[in-house]
Amino acid sequence: MQDELKAAMRAGRPAVGFWCELFSPAAAEIMASAGYDCVMIDCEHGPGDTGSAIEIMRAIDSSGCTPLVRVPGNDQGWIKRLLDAGARGVMVPAVNSAAEAEAAVAACHYPPRGVRGMAAPIVRASGYGRDWQGYVRQSAESLLVICQIESKQALDCVDAIAAIEQLDMIFIGPFDLSASLGFMGEPDHPEVRRAITEAEKAAKAQGCLLGGIPTPERPAQALYEAGYDLVLADMDVVILRDGAMASVSSLMTAAGRR
């Protein structure tokens, strides 16, 4: 197990990543081989389960792209299964308190730091046990633990969330956050932007890495300039959708149908 992604971000090298929503191994393989640092396999909103997440991880194994997984919720069972499957990091959605952040961190780590169940001698993450002791030793430092800030409740205690020991990254969800603040679908509304700025400051003040996604008025470059360490700017389903729509439009014009 390697921790180049986290180490690189800690050393000041921002990371670029993409979302896996289609759960197509071929699509993931193509995108990972393009040169992204990491992929966020979305088991919250995507259709995949643990088995299909493993297929994505296998597809990108030779690319050098780090597999991260967004779990469906702050659930020890899901976190354990996906880490055992080989995820190098976990993103937990909708973390609303320091206690919830502590629970997420604990679920990612073996005792005595956490409560993760011990199956390292047999799971994929340790090479099916070939060096499970090494995996256990390294995982405490190598795993990337991410909590999402997506609600007004989370904003009210973001300082305490960011202060949780071994929480590596605060990831801001601007669309859910805009809905929680009463501005559904307006992630660039001034009130939402002000709230996001406060969350960014809190994360950096506590030494947390900072992650997010672009919005219509705040592209990836603006996020990196604001100190973001990870931006998940691309999504397999959007690239396919937009590419197909652009191609069809061009073909319709060429065929004289527009």
Short mmCIF file of all heavy atoms in Angstrom, two decimals, residues 36-69:
data_model
loop_
_atom_site.label_atom_id
_atom_site.label_comp_id
_atom_site.label_asym_id
_atom_site.label_seq_id
_atom_site.Cartn_x
_atom_site.Cartn_y
_atom_site.Cartn_z
N TYR A 36 -5.12 11.21 -14.50
CA TYR A 36 -5.67 11.72 -13.23
C TYR A 36 -4.91 11.12 -12.05
O TYR A 36 -4.45 9.98 -12.11
CB TYR A 36 -7.15 11.37 -13.11
CG TYR A 36 -8.07 12.06 -14.07
CD1 TYR A 36 -8.41 11.46 -15.28
CD2 TYR A 36 -8.61 13.31 -13.78
CE1 TYR A 36 -9.27 12.08 -16.17
CE2 TYR A 36 -9.47 13.94 -14.66
CZ TYR A 36 -9.80 13.32 -15.86
OH TYR A 36 -10.65 13.94 -16.74
N ASP A 37 -4.82 11.89 -10.97
CA ASP A 37 -4.18 11.39 -9.76
C ASP A 37 -5.06 10.40 -9.01
O ASP A 37 -4.54 9.49 -8.35
CB ASP A 37 -3.85 12.56 -8.81
CG ASP A 37 -2.86 13.53 -9.40
OD1 ASP A 37 -1.79 13.08 -9.86
OD2 ASP A 37 -3.14 14.74 -9.41
N CYS A 38 -6.37 10.61 -9.06
CA CYS A 38 -7.26 9.75 -8.29
C CYS A 38 -8.64 9.70 -8.93
O CYS A 38 -9.00 10.56 -9.74
CB CYS A 38 -7.38 10.22 -6.84
SG CYS A 38 -8.09 11.88 -6.66
N VAL A 39 -9.39 8.68 -8.54
CA VAL A 39 -10.79 8.55 -8.94
C VAL A 39 -11.62 8.42 -7.67
O VAL A 39 -11.24 7.72 -6.73
CB VAL A 39 -11.02 7.33 -9.85
CG1 VAL A 39 -10.49 6.05 -9.24
CG2 VAL A 39 -12.51 7.18 -10.18
N MET A 40 -12.76 9.11 -7.63
CA MET A 40 -13.72 8.95 -6.55
C MET A 40 -14.84 8.06 -7.04
O MET A 40 -15.68 8.47 -7.85
CB MET A 40 -14.27 10.30 -6.10
CG MET A 40 -15.18 10.22 -4.88
SD MET A 40 -14.33 9.65 -3.38
CE MET A 40 -13.32 11.09 -2.99
N ILE A 41 -14.84 6.82 -6.59
CA ILE A 41 -15.86 5.85 -6.97
C ILE A 41 -17.09 6.14 -6.10
O ILE A 41 -17.04 5.99 -4.88
CB ILE A 41 -15.34 4.42 -6.75
CG1 ILE A 41 -14.04 4.20 -7.56
CG2 ILE A 41 -16.39 3.40 -7.15
CD1 ILE A 41 -13.29 2.93 -7.19
N ASP A 42 -18.17 6.53 -6.74
CA ASP A 42 -19.31 7.09 -6.00
C ASP A 42 -20.35 6.03 -5.66
O ASP A 42 -21.25 5.75 -6.45
CB ASP A 42 -19.94 8.23 -6.80
CG ASP A 42 -20.96 9.00 -5.99
OD1 ASP A 42 -21.12 8.70 -4.78
OD2 ASP A 42 -21.60 9.91 -6.55
N CYS A 43 -20.22 5.46 -4.46
CA CYS A 43 -21.20 4.49 -3.99
C CYS A 43 -22.34 5.16 -3.23
O CYS A 43 -23.22 4.46 -2.71
CB CYS A 43 -20.53 3.45 -3.11
SG CYS A 43 -19.49 2.28 -4.03
N GLU A 44 -22.34 6.50 -3.17
CA GLU A 44 -23.49 7.20 -2.57
C GLU A 44 -24.58 7.42 -3.62
O GLU A 44 -25.73 7.02 -3.44
CB GLU A 44 -23.07 8.54 -1.96
CG GLU A 44 -24.26 9.24 -1.30
CD GLU A 44 -24.02 10.70 -0.95
OE1 GLU A 44 -23.05 11.31 -1.46
OE2 GLU A 44 -24.83 11.23 -0.17
N HIS A 45 -24.21 8.07 -4.72
CA HIS A 45 -25.20 8.39 -5.75
C HIS A 45 -25.10 7.47 -6.97
O HIS A 45 -26.03 7.40 -7.77
CB HIS A 45 -25.06 9.84 -6.20
CG HIS A 45 -25.48 10.83 -5.16
ND1 HIS A 45 -26.78 10.92 -4.71
CD2 HIS A 45 -24.78 11.76 -4.47
CE1 HIS A 45 -26.87 11.87 -3.80
NE2 HIS A 45 -25.67 12.39 -3.62
N GLY A 46 -23.99 6.79 -7.13
CA GLY A 46 -23.84 5.87 -8.25
C GLY A 46 -24.53 4.55 -7.98
O GLY A 46 -24.94 4.25 -6.85
N PRO A 47 -24.66 3.70 -9.02
CA PRO A 47 -25.40 2.45 -8.89
C PRO A 47 -24.60 1.28 -8.33
O PRO A 47 -25.12 0.18 -8.20
CB PRO A 47 -25.82 2.16 -10.34
CG PRO A 47 -24.69 2.71 -11.15
CD PRO A 47 -24.25 3.95 -10.41
N GLY A 48 -23.32 1.51 -8.02
CA GLY A 48 -22.45 0.39 -7.70
C GLY A 48 -22.50 -0.08 -6.26
O GLY A 48 -22.86 0.67 -5.35
N ASP A 49 -22.09 -1.33 -6.05
CA ASP A 49 -21.93 -1.90 -4.72
C ASP A 49 -20.45 -2.25 -4.54
O ASP A 49 -19.60 -1.85 -5.33
CB ASP A 49 -22.82 -3.14 -4.57
CG ASP A 49 -22.56 -4.20 -5.63
OD1 ASP A 49 -21.52 -4.12 -6.33
OD2 ASP A 49 -23.38 -5.13 -5.75
N THR A 50 -20.15 -3.00 -3.48
CA THR A 50 -18.75 -3.32 -3.21
C THR A 50 -18.12 -4.11 -4.36
O THR A 50 -16.99 -3.84 -4.77
CB THR A 50 -18.63 -4.14 -1.91
OG1 THR A 50 -19.23 -3.40 -0.84
CG2 THR A 50 -17.18 -4.41 -1.57
N GLY A 51 -18.86 -5.07 -4.90
CA GLY A 51 -18.32 -5.87 -6.00
C GLY A 51 -18.00 -5.05 -7.23
O GLY A 51 -16.94 -5.22 -7.85
N SER A 52 -18.90 -4.16 -7.60
CA SER A 52 -18.64 -3.34 -8.79
C SER A 52 -17.55 -2.30 -8.52
O SER A 52 -16.82 -1.92 -9.44
CB SER A 52 -19.93 -2.68 -9.28
OG SER A 52 -20.62 -2.04 -8.24
N ALA A 53 -17.41 -1.85 -7.27
CA ALA A 53 -16.31 -0.95 -6.94
C ALA A 53 -14.97 -1.66 -7.11
O ALA A 53 -13.99 -1.08 -7.59
CB ALA A 53 -16.46 -0.43 -5.51
N ILE A 54 -14.93 -2.95 -6.73
CA ILE A 54 -13.70 -3.73 -6.93
C ILE A 54 -13.36 -3.83 -8.41
O ILE A 54 -12.18 -3.73 -8.80
CB ILE A 54 -13.86 -5.13 -6.30
CG1 ILE A 54 -13.85 -5.03 -4.77
CG2 ILE A 54 -12.74 -6.06 -6.77
CD1 ILE A 54 -14.14 -6.34 -4.07
N GLU A 55 -14.35 -4.02 -9.26
CA GLU A 55 -14.08 -4.10 -10.70
C GLU A 55 -13.47 -2.80 -11.23
O GLU A 55 -12.60 -2.82 -12.10
CB GLU A 55 -15.36 -4.44 -11.46
CG GLU A 55 -15.89 -5.84 -11.18
CD GLU A 55 -14.83 -6.90 -11.41
OE1 GLU A 55 -14.20 -6.91 -12.50
OE2 GLU A 55 -14.61 -7.73 -10.50
N ILE A 56 -13.93 -1.66 -10.70
CA ILE A 56 -13.33 -0.38 -11.10
C ILE A 56 -11.88 -0.32 -10.62
O ILE A 56 -10.98 0.09 -11.37
CB ILE A 56 -14.14 0.79 -10.52
CG1 ILE A 56 -15.57 0.78 -11.05
CG2 ILE A 56 -13.45 2.12 -10.84
CD1 ILE A 56 -15.71 0.87 -12.55
N MET A 57 -11.63 -0.73 -9.39
CA MET A 57 -10.26 -0.71 -8.87
C MET A 57 -9.34 -1.60 -9.69
O MET A 57 -8.19 -1.23 -9.98
CB MET A 57 -10.27 -1.14 -7.40
CG MET A 57 -10.98 -0.19 -6.46
SD MET A 57 -10.88 -0.77 -4.74
CE MET A 57 -12.45 -0.17 -4.09
N ARG A 58 -9.83 -2.76 -10.07
CA ARG A 58 -9.01 -3.65 -10.90
C ARG A 58 -8.70 -3.02 -12.25
O ARG A 58 -7.59 -3.15 -12.77
CB ARG A 58 -9.73 -4.98 -11.10
CG ARG A 58 -9.73 -5.88 -9.89
CD ARG A 58 -10.44 -7.19 -10.14
NE ARG A 58 -10.36 -8.07 -8.98
CZ ARG A 58 -11.34 -8.86 -8.58
NH1 ARG A 58 -12.48 -8.89 -9.25
NH2 ARG A 58 -11.19 -9.62 -7.51
N ALA A 59 -9.68 -2.32 -12.80
CA ALA A 59 -9.50 -1.72 -14.13
C ALA A 59 -8.43 -0.63 -14.13
O ALA A 59 -7.78 -0.41 -15.15
CB ALA A 59 -10.83 -1.15 -14.61
N ILE A 60 -8.23 0.03 -12.99
CA ILE A 60 -7.28 1.15 -12.96
C ILE A 60 -5.96 0.77 -12.28
O ILE A 60 -5.09 1.62 -12.12
CB ILE A 60 -7.89 2.37 -12.26
CG1 ILE A 60 -8.08 2.11 -10.76
CG2 ILE A 60 -9.22 2.76 -12.90
CD1 ILE A 60 -8.42 3.36 -9.96
N ASP A 61 -5.81 -0.49 -11.90
CA ASP A 61 -4.64 -0.92 -11.13
C ASP A 61 -3.32 -0.49 -11.75
O ASP A 61 -2.39 -0.12 -11.03
CB ASP A 61 -4.64 -2.44 -10.95
CG ASP A 61 -5.23 -2.86 -9.61
OD1 ASP A 61 -5.43 -1.99 -8.75
OD2 ASP A 61 -5.48 -4.07 -9.43
N SER A 62 -3.19 -0.58 -13.05
CA SER A 62 -1.89 -0.32 -13.68
C SER A 62 -1.68 1.14 -14.06
O SER A 62 -0.63 1.49 -14.59
CB SER A 62 -1.75 -1.18 -14.94
OG SER A 62 -2.73 -0.82 -15.91
N SER A 63 -2.64 2.00 -13.75
CA SER A 63 -2.59 3.38 -14.22
C SER A 63 -1.88 4.33 -13.28
O SER A 63 -1.51 5.44 -13.67
CB SER A 63 -4.02 3.90 -14.43
OG SER A 63 -4.67 4.04 -13.18
N GLY A 64 -1.71 3.93 -12.02
CA GLY A 64 -1.16 4.85 -11.03
C GLY A 64 -2.19 5.80 -10.45
O GLY A 64 -1.85 6.68 -9.66
N CYS A 65 -3.44 5.62 -10.83
CA CYS A 65 -4.54 6.45 -10.34
C CYS A 65 -5.03 5.86 -9.02
O CYS A 65 -5.36 4.67 -8.95
CB CYS A 65 -5.65 6.48 -11.38
SG CYS A 65 -7.06 7.51 -10.99
N THR A 66 -5.09 6.66 -7.97
CA THR A 66 -5.45 6.17 -6.63
C THR A 66 -6.96 6.00 -6.50
O THR A 66 -7.72 6.95 -6.74
CB THR A 66 -4.95 7.15 -5.56
OG1 THR A 66 -3.53 7.25 -5.63
CG2 THR A 66 -5.36 6.69 -4.16
N PRO A 67 -7.43 4.82 -6.07
CA PRO A 67 -8.86 4.61 -5.91
C PRO A 67 -9.38 5.09 -4.56
O PRO A 67 -8.94 4.62 -3.51
CB PRO A 67 -9.02 3.09 -6.04
CG PRO A 67 -7.72 2.55 -5.53
CD PRO A 67 -6.66 3.57 -5.88
N LEU A 68 -10.29 6.04 -4.59
CA LEU A 68 -11.00 6.53 -3.42
C LEU A 68 -12.47 6.16 -3.59
O LEU A 68 -12.95 6.02 -4.70
CB LEU A 68 -10.86 8.04 -3.27
CG LEU A 68 -9.43 8.62 -3.36
CD1 LEU A 68 -9.49 10.15 -3.34
CD2 LEU A 68 -8.56 8.10 -2.22
N VAL A 69 -13.19 6.02 -2.49
CA VAL A 69 -14.61 5.66 -2.57
C VAL A 69 -15.43 6.59 -1.68
O VAL A 69 -15.08 6.81 -0.52
CB VAL A 69 -14.85 4.20 -2.14
CG1 VAL A 69 -16.34 3.89 -2.18
CG2 VAL A 69 -14.10 3.23 -3.03
#
